Amino acid sequence: VCLLDQTKLPLKEKYLECFDYQSIAKAIKEMRIRGAPAIGVAAAFGIALAAQNSTAKTLDEFLVEVREATSVLSRTRPTAVNLFRAINRMINILQTNKNTDVLTLKRLLKKEAEAIAQEEEEMSQRMGEYGATLVRKGANILTHCNAGALATVDLGTALAVIRKAHEQGKKVHVYADETRPLLQGARLTTWELIKEGIPTTLICDNMAGFLMQQGKVDLILVGADRIAANGDVANKIGTYSLAVLAREHQVPFYVVAPTSTIDLAIANGNEIPIEERSATEVTMIAGQRIAPEEVNIYNPAFDITPARYISAIVTDRGIIRPPYTKNLAKILS
Amino acid sequence: VCLLDQTKLPLKEKYLECFDYQSIAKAIKEMRIRGAPAIGVAAAFGIALAAQNSTAKTLDEFLVEVREATSVLSRTRPTAVNLFRAINRMINILQTNKNTDVLTLKRLLKKEAEAIAQEEEEMSQRMGEYGATLVRKGANILTHCNAGALATVDLGTALAVIRKAHEQGKKVHVYADETRPLLQGARLTTWELIKEGIPTTLICDNMAGFLMQQGKVDLILVGADRIAANGDVANKIGTYSLAVLAREHQVPFYVVAPTSTIDLAIANGNEIPIEERSATEVTMIAGQRIAPEEVNIYNPAFDITPARYISAIVTDRGIIRPPYTKNLAKILS
């Protein structure tokens, strides 16, 4: 499995070759690959890899090995639901094919990983098409973190919408939040959009409110890591602040996410586990220390945006409007 | 004139010796010294230095030289009013002592610069005392940028309040926004507070909203670069977003500033010039590039917080509450 190492972008386009599931788990943990849909797909391929690599002679030995891989991969990152959904689909293959042989299972697991990737790709296209209907000509779009190709399989989520609108000749302009601490906006979103020739202006996260005050933002598009049954959204830290600012300035705030990101088992945002990451993500930038060693750090990787701040959720099955509890359940049924 | 080079903190405590007004102007422009009150005082000493260094034989020659210094220093940074106020006080010395000699003027200018510094120091103490009455025991205080000793002459503005509350045994805890792009919160505020033994947690700017959502912030204290007659406040970029978030979460939002920051000649925030700074402040951190070279950058150094978001303005002459137009005029009269 070959991954573009996202920690090295935009300075270097370095590919990471993973020959076992452990290196995929490590790549997810270290955010060399990131973005809810992308880590789901990577984990599925990790499990397929564990299966391929297995030298087990019996079905039982094989199942133990593959289950160990699913267990390690599921402990990499807690917030995005796509990871668990992909792993569960792989486990399902094992369960529904209990009476077959190791070789067949190896083939089926590989096929399922490829199917997950393929589906994410198709969902990306459809989200782009639905979402583009919300974008008027000449719109100034603000986005946060990276909800692009790098976070998914094909076009992205929020960036799929931007790509489609651009393709349709809508002449959009994008403001990209740099997205501290790991700067996915500065490093990844700008890199993707420049490659597409989409006019992009990079800002620091704390400038978004001032932009909105000046009427410079027409709509906001963000991705999601998990959407609860009531429409509450977990997404990259800073999303919630943007949503509050959007409402204050009457700027539409759209979440773009495949249906694989919706988790009806979670009633509301309070139940979504929020990952806290290492202090050095905040205190070190590009290998340089930017704060005194003695200081405490609080570094939540995500936050929760309550459903009431969200104008609509753009999915691969259409645009969902409030009331979300009813409409999310309906679209998934 | 000896300045602590703030661009080197917290890694190095390097002092900058300035032997002429040009190097002081350069230090202000490059933000080696920053903070509204501090740049006012530095400019005053720059003018005193220009006077001391003058080899002019006639009063006319001397006045031309000193006026050239005032002109260069007034073009360093546009937003903070303290700079212009300090320069005007120095010009006033020249105007009200027209009939004296060069030697006397040199002495008077030096004395006036010292008086400005001395007054800022006293105002700092008084702001601290007034402001501390707003802080309850065990409060969690959020602050933005650096409104501390480094930005002023003595205790600071917002940090003067925190220092006083700490001194009074109120056991406060501070959340410091890192404050991109130049990271004054991460580099300077944490450095100051750790030296005082005040418990401090550093966060990225985009985490403040999530903290408030969780009820972890009891009040917000920020400084100011200029306060208009109607109470609108120009302060470091990101202040406005915090103010909106504060109101959404019913967290009191206090601006702490000496009366030298109030500019009654400016009717409202729209008239305050907002400095835009270089793109490299955003794209480079610690000498490392963090974004593609081709991307556009928007880098306003300040924003405007409308008066309606501000719970109170803490000054050296007391705590001002709305209606600000009436109460600011009253306190200055």
Side-chain angles (χ1 to χ4, degrees):
Chain A
V1 177
C2 193
L3 307 170
L4 178 55
D5 185 347
Q6 302 191 26
T7 63
K8 299 280 188 290
L9 287 173
L11 300 182
K12 280 185 216 156
E13 290 184 32
K14 196 190 142 196
Y15 284 83
L16 206 65
E17 289 185 309
C18 297
F19 297 99
D20 50 35
Y21 76 86
Q22 291 91 341
S23 31
I24 289 189
K26 194 162 171 276
I28 294 173
K29 221 169 192 163
E30 293 173 352
M31 295 176 69
R32 297 186 190 282
I33 183 160
R34 27 89 23 225
I39 64 177
V41 171
F45 277 105
I47 294 164
L49 208 51
Q52 299 304 312
N53 289 344
S54 171
T55 54
K57 300 252 157 46
T58 69
L59 191 60
D60 280 355
E61 274 179 69
F62 176 78
L63 290 177
V64 168
E65 282 184 32
V66 177
R67 278 181 184 283
E68 173 61 16
T70 64
S71 155
V72 167
L73 283 158
S74 70
R75 286 194 305 268
T76 48
R77 301 198 64 197
T79 303
V81 74
N82 311 58
L83 177 73
F84 305 103
R85 190 176 300 271
I87 292 171
N88 284 341
R89 279 180 62 168
M90 300 300 276
I91 291 173
N92 229 19
I93 294 292
L94 298 177
Q95 276 166 346
T96 53
N97 296 281
K98 267 191 258 197
N99 303 320
T100 185
D101 57 298
V102 169
L103 226 67
T104 307
L105 275 177
K106 285 186 177 184
R107 192 174 49 77
L108 288 174
L109 286 170
K110 183 164 173 249
K111 226 177 107 187
E112 186 70 0
E114 286 163 350
I116 293 171
Q118 175 70 28
E119 287 165 33
E120 287 290 350
E121 194 176 322
E122 287 160 12
M123 289 196 281
S124 207
Q125 293 283 350
R126 287 197 295 272
M127 277 183 280
E129 275 155 28
Y130 286 120
T133 65
L134 299 168
V135 181
R136 67 157 182 74
K137 213 166 168 174
N140 286 289
I141 304 171
L142 176 68
T143 188
H144 190 66
C145 195
N146 173 265
L150 292 166
T152 62
V153 179
D154 190 23
L155 302 179
T157 56
L159 295 200
V161 175
I162 290 169
R163 284 187 162 96
K164 280 287 174 197
H166 175 72
E167 215 178 280
Q168 293 167 2
K170 283 187 173 164
K171 299 195 182 303
V172 297
H173 165 258
V174 178
Y175 287 107
D177 272 354
E178 64 173 7
T179 317
R180 281 281 288 149
L182 292 182
L183 298 163
Q184 293 93 335
R187 296 188 301 104
L188 310 178
T189 298
T190 58
W191 181 82
E192 280 196 35
L193 293 176
I194 286 169
K195 282 204 170 198
E196 304 269 344
I198 300 172
T200 304
T201 302
L202 174 64
I203 60 166
C204 297
D205 301 318
N206 62 22
M207 297 169 185
F210 189 45
L211 276 183
M212 289 186 232
Q213 188 192 49
Q214 295 170 81
K216 289 185 179 171
V217 179
D218 297 310
L219 71 158
I220 298 178
L221 293 170
V222 298
D225 288 82
R226 196 184 301 217
I227 301 175
N230 73 340
D232 289 355
V233 165
N235 191 46
K236 179 54 57 194
I237 186 73
T239 302
Y240 170 61
S241 294
L242 281 186
V244 170
L245 288 162
R247 196 165 69 171
E248 183 77 7
H249 298 91
Q250 298 173 291
V251 171
F253 183 86
Y254 300 118
V255 171
V256 188
T259 40
S260 57
T261 303
I262 302 166
D263 185 1
L264 294 185
I266 292 269
N268 63 61
N270 297 333
E271 297 176 24
I272 302 177
I274 298 293
E275 177 183 11
E276 284 191 35
R277 294 184 59 88
S278 113
T280 55
E281 288 188 353
V282 176
T283 57
M284 307 284 289
I285 302 182
Q288 302 263 1
R289 174 162 281 278
I290 57 141
E293 304 222 12
E294 309 88 329
V295 74
N296 302 317
I297 301 292
Y298 175 57
N299 182 21
F302 304 94
D303 60 24
I304 303 292
T305 300
R308 67 180 181 280
Y309 293 97
I310 300 166
S311 312
I313 301 174
V314 178
T315 75
D316 48 288
R317 299 192 195 166
I319 298 170
I320 326 263
R321 302 262 179 192
Y324 291 115
T325 305
K326 184 178 143 225
N327 293 338
L328 284 172
K330 204 166 88 184
I331 212 145
L332 286 188
S333 70
Chain B
V1 176
C2 194
L3 307 169
L4 179 54
D5 184 348
Q6 302 192 24
T7 63
K8 300 280 187 290
L9 288 173
L11 301 181
K12 282 185 215 154
E13 290 185 32
K14 195 192 141 198
Y15 284 84
L16 206 66
E17 289 184 309
C18 296
F19 297 100
D20 50 36
Y21 77 86
Q22 290 93 339
S23 33
I24 289 189
K26 193 161 174 278
I28 294 173
K29 220 167 191 162
E30 293 172 353
M31 294 177 70
R32 298 186 190 282
I33 182 159
R34 29 102 1 239
I39 63 177
V41 171
F45 277 105
I47 294 164
L49 207 51
Q52 299 304 312
N53 288 344
S54 172
T55 55
K57 301 251 156 50
T58 70
L59 190 60
D60 279 354
E61 272 179 71
F62 176 78
L63 290 177
V64 167
E65 281 184 33
V66 176
R67 279 182 182 281
E68 172 62 17
T70 65
S71 153
V72 167
L73 284 158
S74 70
R75 286 193 305 268
T76 48
R77 301 197 66 198
T79 303
V81 73
N82 311 59
L83 178 72
F84 305 103
R85 191 176 299 272
I87 292 171
N88 283 340
R89 277 180 63 169
M90 299 300 276
I91 291 174
N92 229 18
I93 293 292
L94 297 177
Q95 276 167 347
T96 53
N97 297 280
K98 267 191 254 191
N99 302 321
T100 183
D101 57 298
V102 169
L103 226 69
T104 308
L105 275 177
K106 285 185 177 185
R107 192 175 49 76
L108 288 175
L109 287 171
K110 183 162 175 249
K111 226 177 110 188
E112 186 70 0
E114 285 163 352
I116 293 171
Q118 175 71 27
E119 286 164 34
E120 287 291 350
E121 193 176 324
E122 287 160 12
M123 290 194 281
S124 206
Q125 293 281 350
R126 287 198 295 270
M127 278 182 279
E129 275 155 27
Y130 285 119
T133 64
L134 299 168
V135 180
R136 68 157 182 73
K137 211 167 170 172
N140 286 289
I141 304 170
L142 176 66
T143 188
H144 190 65
C145 196
N146 172 266
L150 291 166
T152 63
V153 178
D154 190 22
L155 302 179
T157 56
L159 295 200
V161 175
I162 292 170
R163 284 187 160 97
K164 280 287 172 196
H166 175 73
E167 213 178 281
Q168 293 167 2
K170 283 187 174 165
K171 298 194 182 305
V172 297
H173 165 257
V174 177
Y175 286 108
D177 272 354
E178 65 174 7
T179 318
R180 281 281 288 148
L182 292 182
L183 299 163
Q184 292 92 336
R187 298 188 300 106
L188 310 178
T189 298
T190 59
W191 181 83
E192 281 196 35
L193 294 176
I194 287 169
K195 282 206 169 193
E196 304 268 344
I198 300 172
T200 304
T201 302
L202 175 63
I203 61 167
C204 298
D205 300 316
N206 63 22
M207 297 169 185
F210 188 45
L211 277 182
M212 289 186 232
Q213 189 191 48
Q214 294 171 82
K216 289 184 177 170
V217 178
D218 297 309
L219 71 157
I220 298 178
L221 293 171
V222 298
D225 289 82
R226 194 184 302 216
I227 302 176
N230 72 339
D232 289 356
V233 166
N235 191 45
K236 179 53 57 194
I237 187 73
T239 302
Y240 170 61
S241 294
L242 283 184
V244 170
L245 289 161
R247 196 165 69 170
E248 184 78 8
H249 298 91
Q250 297 173 289
V251 171
F253 183 88
Y254 300 118
V255 171
V256 188
T259 41
S260 56
T261 302
I262 303 167
D263 185 1
L264 293 186
I266 291 269
N268 62 61
N270 297 333
E271 297 176 24
I272 301 176
I274 298 293
E275 177 183 11
E276 284 191 36
R277 294 183 60 87
S278 112
T280 55
E281 288 188 354
V282 176
T283 56
M284 308 284 289
I285 303 182
Q288 302 263 359
R289 173 161 282 277
I290 56 141
E293 303 222 12
E294 308 88 329
V295 75
N296 302 317
I297 301 292
Y298 176 56
N299 183 21
F302 304 93
D303 60 24
I304 303 293
T305 301
R308 65 180 182 280
Y309 294 96
I310 300 165
S311 311
I313 301 174
V314 178
T315 75
D316 49 287
R317 300 192 195 166
I319 298 171
I320 325 265
R321 302 262 179 193
Y324 291 117
T325 304
K326 184 178 142 220
N327 292 339
L328 284 172
K330 202 165 89 185
I331 211 144
L332 284 188
S333 69

